[in-house]
Amino acid sequence: MDITDFLARQEKAGNLRRLPVLEHPDGGRVRFAGEEDLLDFSSNDYLGLTRHPLLLVEAAEALSRFGTGAGSARLMSGNFELHRRLEAALAALKDQEAALLFGSGYLANIGIIPALVGRHDVVFSDRLNHASIYDGCRLAGAALHRFAHNDCNQLEDLLKRHRGKNEALIVVESLYSMDGDFCPLAEVVALKERYDCRLLVDEAHATGLFGANGAGLLAAANLADRVDLVMGTLGKALGGYGAYVAARREMIAFLINRARSFIFATALPPATTAAALAAVALLATEPELRQELWQRVEVFKNSLKLGGIEADLGPSQIIPLTVGGSKAALQAADRLRQRGIYATAVRPPTVPAGSARLRFSVTNHLSADELSAAAAIIASELGGRERQGSE
Ligand SMILES: *Cc1c(COP(=O)(O)O)cnc(C)c1O
């Protein structure tokens, strides 16, 4: 590939990514050096746990006791009691027999999928699944059949035609990260059972937020015991870094022996592990964290509607407002930035061409007043009433 040419083409299409250097004066704000503070709508720190006092204390204690790193992989000398405790807590949260930690959600997906399927097998994947799922499929070398987003009729059609006799894996997310909508989990589970496939559910954006104790959407739908594997990240609502998969004990023993991104990677740092352990405990002891978030989400959506936004705002804390072209999305993000709001323009290849959008995630770092004021501005900049001149 001609690198100069590639960069020029990305720039021309409005798809060149640059790394913004931001200061983080507190949890809900970011600023570009020397500029005004912006409200941060692009963080996945939904419950505000990254700065929760309990996580800070637990992480600091583990840091001073065990140092900054685990020193090696889990299968070598890097396995700590903290890892075992966190895995037990996550297994209990997800109502599964066991769990296994990974360095990140990306590493989890590119490790789990090739462990389960290979060249003679087949994967059925929702078109909007996260890139890490697609990269896992590619590494696996299995035949890949993508179905239209949340379209169980098409999934069944593909299963009828391509299930074959070897291993088959269905992969979905329970809450889609770019559209903010839910997977029809009960239907997918029924199909998985009818066609005798394994099912991997990615709960990256749902863990900590839905269901009893924030166990996730699978648990909320009472389906935890009917899926083969459920994975999620520790980097979003849980406020840290790392990831996990939860499953039956035998499946976890299998992954310990087969998932290369687990075997050949350094264990999570003890302090990170301790913070996640505190985060999981908080899900049970501070249910008000979730109540506060859903109240804020309500305020934000209602204010967008009051401002004249007519789009369906979906069922979750992730609210995408589709703009269309990449350049239009970048310009909209710029206008919002000038008005004190930081929301990222999500562009191809993350989302399909022509559906570039601004994606707003609501977190507990933002107050109800900040959210309603921001929503009024967003509505006016993105085609709400004010912009159409009817106000
Ligand atoms: C964020 C995300 C991941 C990756 O998790 P990291 O811990 O950030 O690597 C995987 N799947 C989905 C659906 C995600 O949104």
Side-chain angles (χ1 to χ4, degrees), residues 207-371:
T207 299
L209 302 187
F210 299 91
N213 290 342
L217 285 163
L218 267 179
N222 242 322
L223 293 168
D225 58 341
R226 290 168 67 191
V227 304
D228 300 273
L229 310 107
V230 52
M231 64 77 64
T233 176
L234 307 176
K236 289 169 182 162
L238 294 175
Y241 192 71
Y244 66 87
V245 60
R248 298 184 72 87
R249 211 166 269 118
E250 184 182 59
M251 175 65 81
I252 296 301
F254 175 74
L255 291 175
I256 289 171
N257 287 274
R258 280 281 293 199
R260 295 171 62 83
S261 62
F262 170 81
I263 299 169
F264 299 106
T266 301
L268 275 189
T272 305
T273 312
L277 197 50
V280 173
L282 274 179
L283 295 180
T285 56
E286 294 189 14
E288 57 275 19
L289 290 170
R290 286 188 292 285
Q291 288 155 13
E292 281 167 28
L293 178 67
W294 296 123
Q295 283 162 8
R296 284 164 158 85
V297 169
E298 217 22 53
V299 165
F300 184 64
K301 287 181 182 172
N302 285 340
S303 306
L304 284 176
K305 285 183 202 147
L306 273 175
I309 294 284
E310 283 164 4
D312 179 5
L313 301 177
S316 77
Q317 78 285 9
I318 298 169
I319 299 119
L321 293 177
T322 303
V323 175
S326 291
K327 289 218 165 124
L330 284 177
Q331 284 161 1
D334 263 352
R335 290 198 306 275
L336 289 181
R337 192 174 139 190
Q338 282 157 23
R339 301 187 66 179
I341 293 165
Y342 190 64
T344 32
V346 186
R347 291 162 284 157
T350 308
V351 293
S355 75
R357 63 198 67 179
L358 296 186
R359 176 183 177 280
F360 299 90
S361 44
V362 176
T363 73
N364 279 348
H365 290 299
L366 303 174
S367 71
D369 286 348
E370 287 169 332
L371 286 163

Side-chain angles (χ1 to χ4, degrees), residues 44 103-107 109 130 132-133 173 175 177 202 204-205 231-236 241-243:
N44 303 313
S104 72
Y106 183 89
L107 287 170
N109 282 331
H130 191 258
S132 57
I133 292 169
E173 297 179 23
L175 164 55
S177 57
D202 182 330
H205 290 274
M231 64 77 64
T233 176
L234 307 176
K236 289 169 182 162
Y241 192 71

